[in-house]
Amino acid sequence: EETTAAPAASSTQGQQVVATPTGASTGPTCTLEQFGGTKFDLKTAVVGFSQSEKEANPFRIAETQSIKDEAAKLGIENLRVTNAQSQFSKQITDVQQLIAQGAQLLVIAPLNSDGWEPVLQQAAAKKIPIITVDRKINAKPCSDYLTFIGSDFYQQGQRAADQMIKALGGKGKVAILLGAPGNNVTTERTNGFKDRIKEKGTGIEISFEQTGEFAREKGQQVTEQLIQSNPDINGIYAENDEMALGAVTALKGAGKEPGEIKIVSVDGTKSAVQGIVDGWLYSVIESNPRFGPLAFETAQKFLNGEPIPDKVIISDREYDTTNAASSLSEAY
Amino acid sequence: MAEATTAPSGPPGRLDRARVFIWLQEYGVYAAVLALLAFNVLFTPHFLDAANFRTQLVQVAPIVIVSLGMALVIGTQGIDLSVGSVMALAAAVVVLYLGYGAWPAILMALLAGAVVGAAGGSLVAYVGVQPIVATLALLVGVRGIANVLVPQLKEFRNPDLIALGSGSLLGLPLVVIIAAALTVVVTFLVRRTTFGRQVVAIGGNRAASELSGLPVKRVLLTVYVISGVLAAIAGVLATARLQASDPTSLGQFIELSAITAVVVGGTPLTGGRIRVLSTVMGALLMQLLSATLIKHNLPQSWTQMVQAGIILAAVYATRERGTR
Amino acid sequence: MTTDTTVIAPESGNGAARKERISHLIQQHGALMVLFALIVVGTFGFDSFATPENAASVVVASSFTAIIAIGMTFVIISGGIDLSVGSLFVLGGVLAAWGSQYGAVVALLLPLLACGAVGLAQGLLIARTGMAPFIVTLAGLLGVRGLMLAISDEGATTYLVRDRTFAALGQGEILGLTYPVYITIVLALLGMLLLQRTGFGQNVYAIGGNEQAAALMGVPVARTKVYVYLMSGLLAGLAGALNAARLSSGVTILGIGLELDVIAAVVIGGTLLTGGAGGLTGTIAGVLLLGVIQSLINQVGNLTSSFQQVVSGAFLALVVIAQRLLSKAQRL
Amino acid sequence: MLEARGISKRFPGVLALDRVSLALRPGEVHALVGENGAGKSTLIKVFTGVHRPDEGELRYRGEPASFATPLDAQRSGISTIYQEVNLVPMMSVARNLMLGREPRNRFGVIDAARMNAEAERVLAGYGVETDVRRPLRTLGIGAQQMVALARAVSIDAKVVIMDEPTSSLEPREVATLFGVIRRLREQDIAVIYVSHRLEELYQVCDRVTVLRDGRLAHTGDIHELERIQLISLMLGRDVGEVRSGGLTRFSRDRGRAVTAEPVVEARGLKRRHVLQDVSVSVRPGEVVGLGGLLGAGRSETAKAIIGALPLDSGQVIVAGSPLRRRTTAGAIKAGISLLPEDRKAEGIIPTLSVRENIALAALPALARAGVVSDARIDQVVDTFMKRLRIKASSPHQKVSELSGGNQQKVLLARWLAMQPKVLILDEPTRGIDVGAKAEVQALIDELAEAGLGVLLISSDLEELVEGSDRILVLRDGAVVGELSGDEVTEERIMASIAEHSSTNPEEADAHG
Ligand SMILES: Nc1ncnc2c1ncn2[C@@H]1O[C@H](COP(=O)(O)OP(=O)(O)OP(=O)(O)O)[C@@H](O)[C@H]1O
Ligand SMILES: Nc1ncnc2c1ncn2[C@@H]1O[C@H](COP(=O)(O)OP(=O)(O)OP(=O)(O)O)[C@@H](O)[C@H]1O
Ligand SMILES: O[C@@H]1[C@H](O)[C@H](O)CO[C@H]1O
Ligand SMILES: [Mg+2]
Ligand SMILES: [Mg+2]
């Protein structure tokens, strides 16, 4: 087969753009027949969305909002949303209860990649297609679940490293503010960054890595300690924008000038992009949370009988001084 | 009889050891803080910089303030799990009212803290709900309210509030001055006022206190209100420092840090006794510990295991010994 | 011996004794009554609430909490508290998943051994040194999580359950309910027998009721305490292992804050935190009550995550207030 | 049988026992006496493994012994009833009684039905009839003490130690207890018996050991000692001095105060199942006694007056004006003070010092704008520690480290510091030594003389009769008799109780 049903890039502001599979490139695909499900009408079906974390971080707010907006736009009447409040056990139960409520399609933003066995078994028994967004589930596409839509976190780490190398001219000492421990986003963003530094930035030494738990206050506190004991640090890689902004507050408090220490982070929130404009951040790698349009488009195509790729990797933007001011409106 | 007591009877080492125990019980935390300081001076680069001490004090200030309230509550044989959520609520309220100026906003935040404290205190004092459950319900619910009020992290530019977080007076950060002042106030409250004596009496024997005509319910209520207000102050200061209101994560698990500070400082969880200065030392000990581990770039797993060890060691050294 | 008879208390049957019994009943079974009321509300309020599937999801999810809560009930009746159970739960899961590469026996025994050892150590510290249970187990909470992070590469490594037999322990079903549900029922029954009908159970009540008196009455206080914490550790480890079998993996991000849920369940079930009174029927009802509240919130479908928290907090408060007022009103 | 040789025991600041020896023979009842704080309880706790001696040796059945825990001692056949009732209040009566030796069924599991039946049977033998499934705390202190006694004796013991077992028993229960002791003696079981009631010692004991200030003062046959000699040994003064000083407790004329208006008046106190229309009044300078058996509702009356017991109806009037809000604080402010019956549970704050315990209730009065004045507190504390001769190493000693009698004095001081108009004393001399008892009684006299109204509750009939101007007799929560003038005699009290013995408690309930 040569054309897959990968949705085309749309012109709407800030909307997700598919990176792979692109146009002609192929990968395994999945059709309704292969999956073994039956067709139903999305508009009248019960659709479940399971959010993993509270809608507090701009990323999560944008993510849930995008799903809700798109459902409303498409006239889906019966969207049920649960929130696991960052408790994995609760998310498993949430999804099971969505199934019990008769969900025919599940969109899941998983908290964790492993541990989905009970949900997958139940969904498979009822042939309920699952689309996971943002984070992956470690299982077989097209049988355990339908497909995954999201960013390549490893690549995000690599791109952050590229930016850091550029910022420091290939030389210097760097600290990492890690995401929440035990989280595959953290792991992949760390590995991507470190691997790329090893590969292309041999002049750069990673002299410090501590968790900031994806939170602004923790990012601030760790940075305060860091600049005390490592005053010779040149760059900070923050694995999300919140921690980067916490780091900025710490640097301000310590009397540093904007740009004195180069900060690279991941996400693309408005505040962070503004931070580039203000000179505090060097660059931000986007992680686009607006999954609504792609998710429902993919679901509809699947229901229409078209083949669906086994994973849809979106292409994330990059913000730096050249485009920050002009793209501010696209940030979330 | 009292006169007939000085002649030591047992083997000579015995009495000395007893004295060491009593000394440890009284001053163990201070010794531990000194030991940790000494370690850092020797092994942590740039530790002796003035800026470093500043950082440690600024970071520990909110925990100290929350711990002061916690010490009072624990003195009544209670516990207050809601403090972290109260911090979050104060953070939410303060930005909501920032339009009216910093001080009115702060006042509203403290009021919110008082209301939550009053809710918990009423449940404990008048309804008779066990403190841990009453404040657990608040821990869950109040953070929810804070999030409803301010659903996502909100930055602000109010110069007064920012100055509160990062300003200094005579070279000392305002945050630290406030924490110190509150420590003095609470120490005075505990040592010198009728209220303070009543707090410990109630913690020591509630039935007896009632029969002695102490306003038991009112005192309990007041204690929880104080704890709520102190937590709100901590919340406002932390928010001022962060220059953003973050009700989702502000103050999470701070109840455990505060309880640890109180207990490591030698205040028993069984109530009837409050040690204010040692509580501050307890908070300082835990702060220095985590700073040390971060500065030496140890992974999270290490940090937690070492903290566990230090808590055990400190409490073991300061525990009350039986007379057997 | 004299034959004089002093009638100390009026015979049961008059109003006083009856009222006393009613108040006792409410204290013991208040959670059961509220649970019943909520189920009625849910059944009439939502079509998809009282379905077998939804009920199963609540019961299955509750079973793991319930196993831990059984141990916690013993601990609390003895006048103590165990904050380490959440960390032991996750450690148990990680060890079970790792151990499953050596077969089901190792997968089950390793977590029991490790968590039992931690429970034993905590019990010894509490019983022999007189340190407060709250603080010893708080250290346990931190230390055990640290240990778990250490053996899972700071939480980044998720071990998968390779052994089918072991996985079946968590996933096998009878009548739509998985094995852990039945294991929980058996453990609860054994627990009740232990608590009510053995010398050990009597000792637990006696210690919690008046430790000094219990010691003077010849109760082996230290030994009993050690057993109680040992038991709590073992049960938390077992729950973790069973959960790993269910999820087919040793998820590292579980169990944060679980201790508070469990304590809330036990207390709502009528066990006094001051010790000396309570029982397992109430605890089981308390666990189910929390599960049902969550499920009801999910049924509503579109509450934001913040409102969900407000509602759970309010519910919790209402339940304990109702319980208090009922038992107060009935008090002599 | 059981022997202590040169035992010393030191607490921080106190040498509680100083080379004390005591030998117990099989089948003897051995009295252990001494003033409050002499070290009796401490010696007993050394025997039973609660405390470890700093010095000296224990021998049991001819061999050196060292009990690590009370359980150890109990297993070896030494069973004990402690001064403070030491049972588990929330557990059922039966479970308390049978703890550790519950009957099992054939699966090795506790047979609850048999346990309850057995408990009922055993307790009936001690005159206690109650639903044994009820929590122990619903029993009065006396009945609880009987349960403790039944428990101690029914364990297969070689030595039974009783630390002030009668202090909360009523006369009939005391008789039951003596029956039990005699039976133990017949079985060659040795008994150590601690009591401050000297008459009792002469009734049941064979030999006596006197402790004074932690030291052995005397050991010998009790019947070779006259009562006055025994007292002089305890007090450490010579017989002549004791005799001339006089041990008369009360020395006042009765009924001088009849004319004055009552300083406190309780009218129609009612509470379902507890109090049926109780009215009491006390005039300035008058001592009114409350008599009755255990559970008659005397303590409840006292608590109702002080506002600590919620009432269905009733009124309390102090110096002519009714108390409006019925709170303890209000009653205390109006001038009523209550010395509660249960020292440990309702009296002392164990974590605080003697000084803070004394100052507790008076704190607001000793403070300015909520700030306490140490000087004023010190003055009050000093005054009362001297006046009541409180034995403590310093005012800063923890009150929980004092002997029972001295704790009681601390509580008295707490209330006297309030300068009350009316003092309600619930069992004020329970567990207090002869010397202190006399002091307390003299103090009651003195206070009444000074115009205070006193409501005296006591199970010690002698004390009640000698101390009171007037006596109200309670039964089942109702006043069943009032005695004044020459009617105030032990016989009349007993008669008054007995007269109404036929009253069915159910009936009393009915109009409550
Ligand atoms: N745990 C303790 N810690 C410190 N001192 C104690 C302790 N127990 C007893 N003491 C002291 O030891 C002395 C003897 O006390 P003990 O209780 O043995 O007296 P007692 O003869 O039983 O008096 P009473 O008749 O009042 O019960 C007292 O001075 C008391 O203060
Ligand atoms: N119907 C009842 N139900 C429950 N408890 C009862 C009942 N009747 C009596 N009691 C208990 O018995 C106790 C009565 O004993 P208490 O010792 O208070 O009586 P008293 O007349 O004050 O005698 P004393 O002051 O000598 O102890 C009360 O405290 C009460 O708890
Ligand atoms: O990628 C997202 C964002 O980085 C967010 O900040 C945390 O959750 C991750 O999944
Ligand atoms: Mg004694
Ligand atoms: Mg009484």
Side-chain angles (χ1 to χ4, degrees):
Chain A
E1 60 292 309
E2 57 131 310
T3 42
T4 55
S10 124
S11 60
T12 321
Q13 221 175 32
Q15 189 161 324
Q16 292 179 336
V17 178
V18 174
T20 49
T22 45
S25 88
T26 56
T29 58
C30 186
T31 62
L32 190 56
E33 259 167 88
Q34 279 170 282
F35 185 77
T38 47
K39 191 181 156 81
F40 56 85
D41 183 5
L42 256 188
K43 283 195 172 71
T44 54
V46 178
V47 175
F49 173 56
S50 163
Q51 177 57 283
S52 53
E53 296 175 352
K54 289 206 284 192
E55 287 93 6
N57 174 333
F59 183 95
R60 295 294 167 194
I61 297 170
E63 187 178 39
T64 302
Q65 203 53 50
S66 162
I67 299 277
K68 283 185 178 167
D69 287 351
E70 188 66 13
K73 199 172 125 196
L74 296 175
I76 296 171
E77 286 155 15
N78 223 338
L79 176 74
R80 307 234 169 166
V81 182
T82 60
N83 189 305
Q85 322 257 0
S86 299
Q87 287 171 278
F88 185 65
S89 303
K90 181 168 185 315
Q91 189 168 33
I92 299 291
T93 312
D94 281 349
V95 178
Q96 289 183 324
Q97 296 189 349
L98 288 172
I99 295 175
Q101 288 177 37
Q104 288 159 284
L105 167 70
L106 288 168
V107 180
I108 300 177
L111 189 61
N112 193 62
S113 301
D114 295 297
W116 286 91
E117 195 75 17
V119 162
L120 299 179
Q121 278 177 6
Q122 251 180 315
K126 295 192 155 186
K127 298 283 172 212
I128 302 169
I130 293 176
I131 298 176
T132 82
V133 296
D134 178 34
R135 298 180 187 174
K136 259 179 248 164
I137 283 180
N138 290 337
K140 273 223 300 291
C142 202
S143 65
D144 292 335
Y145 68 101
L146 183 59
T147 186
F148 160 75
I149 306 175
S151 305
D152 183 335
F153 300 130
Y154 183 82
Q155 198 188 43
Q156 289 173 343
Q158 287 178 316
R159 293 169 70 190
D162 288 339
Q163 289 291 348
M164 186 61 82
I165 294 166
K166 203 165 101 193
L168 301 184
K171 230 171 78 223
K173 284 192 174 174
V174 169
I176 306 180
L177 298 179
L178 302 165
N183 186 301
N184 60 312
V185 182
T186 302
T187 314
E188 289 175 35
R189 285 185 188 158
T190 309
N191 291 343
F193 186 85
K194 286 185 176 170
D195 289 355
R196 183 58 65 92
I197 292 287
K198 218 175 275 164
E199 189 184 318
K200 293 195 176 166
T202 41
I204 290 178
E205 181 199 342
I206 298 174
S207 57
F208 184 91
E209 49 183 296
Q210 285 287 314
T211 180
E213 285 163 10
F214 284 138
R216 191 177 293 200
E217 196 196 16
K218 200 77 203 293
Q220 181 190 13
Q221 294 201 343
V222 172
T223 308
E224 283 172 348
Q225 299 288 1
L226 156 76
I227 50 182
Q228 271 307 318
S229 54
N230 302 42
D232 54 345
I233 210 88
N234 308 108
I236 296 176
Y237 165 45
E239 291 183 353
N240 82 346
D241 286 348
E242 286 303 308
M243 296 188 291
L245 293 167
V248 169
T249 319
L251 295 183
K252 278 184 192 165
K256 301 272 182 210
E257 291 300 317
E260 210 179 316
I261 290 179
K262 308 281 184 247
I263 302 179
V264 176
S265 81
V266 185
D267 262 6
T269 65
K270 274 216 165 57
S271 306
V273 179
Q274 181 65 47
I276 302 178
V277 176
D278 298 344
W280 283 103
L281 266 59
Y282 181 81
S283 166
V284 172
I285 312 298
E286 189 193 43
S287 194
N288 194 332
R290 301 179 188 92
F291 289 101
L294 260 188
F296 287 116
E297 196 180 331
T298 307
Q300 191 56 58
K301 290 199 168 156
F302 169 73
L303 291 174
N304 291 344
E306 297 173 42
I308 294 294
D310 72 334
K311 59 172 184 277
V312 180
I313 302 302
I314 58 174
S315 99
D316 291 312
R317 255 169 290 241
E318 222 167 81
Y319 301 95
D320 56 24
T321 41
T322 62
N323 67 352
S326 58
S327 338
L328 198 52
S329 58
E330 284 169 34
Y332 51 91
Chain B
M1 184 137 171
E3 309 88 73
T5 57
T6 31
S9 71
R14 201 180 177 119
L15 208 70
D16 296 359
R17 212 183 321 148
R19 226 176 261 148
V20 169
F21 282 157
I22 290 170
W23 186 88
L24 264 182
Q25 198 182 309
E26 286 301 313
Y27 304 107
V29 216
Y30 297 82
V33 168
L34 284 179
L36 205 51
L37 280 175
F39 172 89
N40 276 298
V41 167
L42 291 177
F43 300 108
T44 310
H46 308 288
F47 190 81
L48 280 176
D49 295 1
N52 176 54
F53 286 103
R54 218 181 133 93
T55 300
Q56 305 317 328
L57 291 177
V58 166
Q59 287 199 2
V60 82
I63 301 177
V64 164
I65 296 172
V66 169
S67 305
L68 292 172
M70 189 67 79
L72 289 176
V73 174
I74 287 177
T76 67
Q77 221 178 82
I79 204 146
D80 188 354
L81 298 183
S82 71
V83 285
S85 300
V86 172
M87 283 179 74
L89 182 64
V93 170
V94 84
V95 291
L96 280 188
Y97 286 92
L98 217 43
Y100 300 95
W103 293 110
I106 291 172
L107 215 65
M108 288 307 287
L110 302 198
L111 195 67
V115 169
V116 176
S122 311
L123 284 179
V124 171
Y126 294 96
V127 186
V129 178
Q130 303 183 54
I132 201 170
V133 231
T135 56
L136 178 62
L138 290 172
L139 168 115
V140 178
V142 169
R143 190 171 290 276
I145 294 173
N147 275 319
V148 170
L149 293 177
V150 174
Q152 62 169 305
L153 185 136
K154 202 163 168 176
E155 293 164 7
F156 56 83
R157 305 243 175 274
N158 182 303
D160 292 344
L161 193 54
I162 290 178
L164 183 64
S166 41
S168 301
L169 194 73
L170 304 171
L172 277 175
L174 280 178
V175 181
V176 175
I177 295 177
I178 292 172
L182 288 171
T183 304
V184 172
V185 170
V186 173
T187 307
F188 180 80
L189 208 61
V190 169
R191 294 215 183 139
R192 305 284 325 150
T193 66
T194 315
F195 173 77
R197 304 285 170 96
Q198 291 176 335
V199 169
V200 278
I202 290 168
N205 186 343
R206 182 165 169 174
S209 301
E210 256 157 21
L211 281 178
S212 299
L214 306 199
V216 172
K217 290 178 178 168
R218 206 173 63 216
V219 170
L220 280 177
L221 179 67
T222 312
V223 162
Y224 283 86
V225 170
I226 293 176
S227 173
V229 171
L230 287 172
I233 294 176
V236 168
L237 294 181
T239 302
R241 231 169 70 69
L242 191 61
Q243 304 180 9
S245 163
D246 183 9
T248 306
S249 46
L250 186 67
Q252 267 199 334
F253 302 113
I254 200 169
E255 66 280 355
L256 292 186
S257 310
I259 294 169
T260 306
V262 172
V263 175
V264 165
T267 298
L269 282 169
T270 43
R273 195 159 178 240
I274 299 176
R275 303 182 39 158
V276 182
L277 290 180
S278 302
T279 297
V280 174
M281 280 298 137
L284 215 51
L285 177 66
M286 299 318 288
Q287 169 68 26
L288 277 179
L289 184 62
S290 87
T292 308
L293 295 163
I294 289 177
K295 285 172 189 286
H296 287 263
N297 202 19
L298 288 167
Q300 184 89 348
S301 53
W302 270 79
T303 311
Q304 298 197 332
M305 288 191 284
V306 173
Q307 275 179 345
I310 296 281
I311 291 176
L312 284 181
V315 177
Y316 181 80
T318 55
R319 78 196 198 280
E320 301 235 4
R321 279 166 190 80
T323 34
R324 282 176 65 101
Chain C
M1 189 149 242
T2 166
T3 50
D4 267 352
T5 286
T6 322
V7 179
I8 299 293
E11 275 308 297
S12 49
N14 80 12
R18 193 162 52 237
K19 282 203 161 179
E20 187 183 305
R21 250 181 292 126
I22 292 171
S23 112
H24 183 71
L25 214 69
I26 289 172
Q27 164 93 5
Q28 290 285 298
H29 301 293
L32 213 56
M33 293 182 207
V34 179
L35 175 63
F36 186 72
L38 276 190
I39 290 176
V40 171
V41 169
T43 307
F44 288 102
F46 306 96
D47 292 341
S48 51
F49 177 77
T51 61
E53 253 185 324
N54 196 50
S57 83
V58 173
V59 171
V60 169
S62 299
S63 62
F64 303 94
T65 322
I67 292 176
I68 302 173
I70 292 171
M72 187 70 82
T73 306
F74 276 81
V75 171
I76 293 183
I77 290 178
S78 81
I81 198 146
D82 189 351
L83 299 180
S84 70
V85 291
S87 298
L88 287 171
F89 176 73
V90 59
L91 177 69
V94 170
L95 287 176
W98 180 83
S100 72
Q101 57 184 310
Y102 303 106
V105 178
V106 177
L108 197 60
L109 284 188
L110 186 63
L112 288 181
L113 218 66
C115 297
V118 173
L120 183 71
Q122 295 186 142
L124 285 170
L125 278 175
I126 290 164
R128 302 262 175 236
T129 69
M131 288 159 79
F134 194 98
I135 218 70
V136 171
T137 58
L138 177 64
L141 177 155
L142 287 170
V144 171
R145 188 162 288 273
L147 187 67
M148 184 277 297
L149 288 175
I151 61 172
S152 63
D153 188 16
E154 298 305 307
T157 306
T158 304
Y159 302 103
L160 298 181
V161 171
R162 305 279 179 212
D163 187 276
R164 287 322 303 165
T165 327
F166 181 62
L169 196 60
Q171 295 168 13
E173 281 189 13
I174 306 173
L175 301 171
L177 297 175
T178 51
Y179 293 161
V181 175
Y182 299 96
I183 295 175
T184 307
I185 294 174
V186 171
L187 287 174
L189 290 174
L190 281 177
M192 288 174 201
L193 195 74
L194 196 62
L195 202 50
Q196 300 300 338
R197 292 299 170 89
T198 66
F200 171 70
Q202 297 309 294
N203 293 344
V204 173
Y205 277 108
I207 292 175
N210 183 348
E211 181 170 334
Q212 209 185 345
L216 295 176
M217 285 163 91
V219 170
V221 175
R223 194 179 350 132
T224 307
K225 281 191 185 175
V226 172
Y227 283 154
V228 162
Y229 288 92
L230 170 64
M231 206 170 112
S232 178
L234 283 174
L235 286 171
L238 176 68
L242 291 176
N243 192 47
R246 172 171 88 125
L247 303 181
S248 277
S249 45
V251 177
T252 55
I253 60 167
L254 294 171
I256 294 170
L258 180 64
E259 61 284 343
L260 290 184
D261 286 346
V262 172
I263 292 167
V266 171
V267 173
I268 286 173
T271 295
L272 291 182
L273 260 175
T274 39
L280 282 171
T281 20
T283 293
I284 301 295
V287 171
L288 286 172
L289 189 58
L290 293 183
V292 166
I293 290 175
Q294 279 308 327
S295 172
L296 279 175
I297 290 175
N298 278 350
Q299 291 286 332
V300 178
N302 270 318
L303 282 183
T304 71
S305 55
S306 324
F307 263 115
Q308 294 190 13
Q309 273 193 302
V310 178
V311 174
S312 336
F315 243 121
L316 199 57
L318 280 180
V319 168
V320 288
I321 292 174
Q323 233 178 327
R324 270 304 299 174
L325 293 184
L326 280 172
S327 64
K328 233 187 199 172
Q330 298 291 341
R331 171 112 11 106
L332 276 173
Chain D
M1 193 73 198
L2 183 62
E3 193 183 353
R5 287 189 186 168
I7 298 284
S8 293
K9 175 70 193 171
R10 181 186 313 279
F11 293 115
V14 194
L15 186 59
L17 292 176
D18 187 3
R19 283 158 295 165
V20 170
S21 299
L22 185 152
L24 190 64
R25 302 170 188 156
E28 79 163 339
V29 180
H30 195 117
L32 181 60
V33 297
E35 279 187 287
N36 291 131
K40 305 179 292 294
S41 297
T42 306
L43 179 58
I44 285 171
K45 287 180 179 168
V46 167
F47 274 133
T48 57
V50 176
H51 293 316
R52 205 159 286 155
D54 297 330
E55 213 180 287
E57 189 194 25
L58 278 189
R59 298 178 72 85
Y60 181 53
R61 298 164 128 184
E63 279 164 40
S66 153
F67 304 115
T69 62
L71 178 63
D72 244 20
Q74 195 175 305
R75 285 218 182 102
S76 323
I78 302 176
S79 92
T80 314
I81 311 166
Y82 294 92
Q83 186 167 4
E84 318 280 350
V85 180
N86 265 301
L87 294 171
V88 185
M90 274 185 285
M91 284 173 93
S92 77
V93 175
R95 290 188 190 267
N96 265 292
L97 184 66
M98 309 295 282
L99 184 67
R101 51 202 173 86
E102 299 89 350
R104 310 294 161 117
N105 66 16
R106 66 207 144 89
F107 307 108
V109 155
I110 294 174
D111 185 338
R114 236 173 72 205
M115 176 174 70
N116 290 333
E118 170 80 1
E120 235 158 70
R121 194 185 58 72
V122 171
L123 286 180
Y126 291 86
V128 177
E129 246 172 46
T130 182
D131 181 353
V132 296
R133 290 165 305 183
R134 292 175 43 166
L136 180 87
R137 70 183 145 82
T138 60
L139 262 53
I141 291 188
Q144 292 187 21
Q145 186 68 291
M146 292 308 275
V147 175
L149 172 70
R151 177 183 163 78
V153 173
S154 55
I155 288 170
D156 187 24
K158 302 280 175 298
V159 176
V160 177
I161 301 177
M162 303 182 181
D163 195 353
E164 298 198 41
T166 56
S167 60
S168 41
L169 298 186
E170 56 166 288
R172 253 191 303 191
E173 289 173 326
V174 173
T176 309
L177 172 71
F178 287 175
V180 174
I181 292 179
R182 292 198 185 96
R183 206 182 44 189
L184 292 176
R185 177 157 48 194
E186 279 156 28
Q187 292 164 4
D188 246 13
I189 293 169
V191 176
I192 296 182
Y193 189 88
V194 179
S195 178
H196 290 297
R197 299 188 182 172
L198 299 186
E199 330 79 77
E200 285 175 0
L201 300 180
Y202 284 94
Q203 273 180 47
V204 286
C205 297
D206 307 311
R207 292 203 309 147
V208 63
T209 289
V210 182
L211 293 185
R212 187 169 66 240
D213 284 355
R215 270 177 292 245
L216 184 67
H218 176 85
T219 296
D221 196 328
I222 192 163
H223 297 288
E224 285 170 6
L225 278 181
E226 262 184 66
R227 209 163 133 159
I228 196 92
Q229 287 175 299
L230 188 57
I231 291 169
S232 71
L233 279 169
M234 284 164 64
L235 298 182
R237 284 178 247 159
D238 60 52
V239 178
E241 197 185 330
V242 170
R243 196 166 271 147
S244 67
L247 278 167
T248 16
R249 299 112 194 245
F250 296 101
S251 58
R252 323 174 23 244
D253 313 322
R254 208 163 263 150
R256 285 161 303 114
V258 279
T259 48
E261 282 302 305
V263 63
V264 67
E265 193 177 355
R267 284 192 201 147
L269 305 179
K270 271 191 201 165
R271 177 171 166 78
R272 257 167 80 74
H273 309 300
V274 180
L275 295 177
Q276 337 288 343
D277 203 1
V278 174
S279 298
V280 194
S281 70
V282 184
R283 294 181 173 79
E286 187 184 31
V287 179
V288 176
L290 274 188
L293 299 180
L294 278 154
R298 295 167 298 171
S299 296
E300 277 70 16
T301 303
K303 286 203 173 142
I305 294 174
I306 195 82
L309 183 82
L311 287 178
D312 298 330
S313 69
Q315 206 181 17
V316 176
I317 299 157
V318 183
S321 49
L323 294 181
R324 267 177 297 132
R325 290 193 50 236
R326 297 199 21 75
T327 62
T328 312
I332 291 173
K333 215 173 189 176
I336 314 178
S337 287
L338 165 68
L339 180 82
E341 152 184 50
D342 191 341
R343 188 163 57 221
K344 197 158 139 194
E346 304 178 323
I348 61 163
I349 315 275
T351 49
L352 298 186
S353 66
V354 171
R355 177 177 182 274
E356 285 168 297
N357 266 281
I358 293 177
L360 184 68
L363 265 183
L366 297 176
R368 212 170 269 135
V371 180
V372 297
S373 150
D374 275 334
R376 286 198 204 167
I377 292 180
D378 283 337
Q379 194 199 335
V380 168
V381 169
D382 192 54
T383 309
F384 285 103
M385 282 187 73
K386 282 204 183 106
R387 177 154 165 211
L388 298 181
R389 288 204 262 158
I390 294 170
K391 214 183 272 174
S393 58
S394 97
H396 299 283
Q397 192 179 4
K398 262 200 191 177
V399 76
S400 53
E401 293 169 0
L402 296 195
S403 76
N406 278 301
Q407 291 182 3
Q408 185 76 325
K409 290 189 196 169
V410 167
L411 292 180
L412 255 173
R414 179 191 294 172
W415 290 116
L416 293 178
M418 293 294 291
Q419 300 176 309
K421 298 193 181 94
V422 185
L423 193 55
I424 306 176
L425 303 169
D426 197 352
E427 306 286 1
T429 61
R430 176 179 290 173
I432 291 197
D433 68 54
V434 270
K437 190 168 178 171
E439 285 168 25
V440 169
Q441 291 168 340
L443 194 69
I444 295 174
D445 261 2
E446 193 185 314
L447 294 170
E449 207 77 56
L452 210 70
V454 177
L455 189 63
L456 175 66
I457 301 173
S458 176
S459 298
D460 184 338
L461 282 184
E462 204 181 343
E463 174 174 289
L464 202 60
V465 166
E466 289 188 17
S468 314
D469 298 318
R470 197 151 58 82
I471 290 181
L472 294 187
V473 181
L474 294 188
R475 191 187 156 89
D476 295 325
V479 180
V480 294
E482 178 170 349
L483 311 171
S484 55
D486 293 340
E487 297 167 337
V488 180
T489 63
E490 293 187 32
E491 293 72 30
R492 287 298 301 264
I493 297 175
M494 296 311 286
S496 186
I497 294 169
E499 249 173 63
H500 296 265
S501 283
S502 50
T503 324
N504 189 339
E506 301 276 327
E507 251 175 58
D509 267 0
H511 56 78

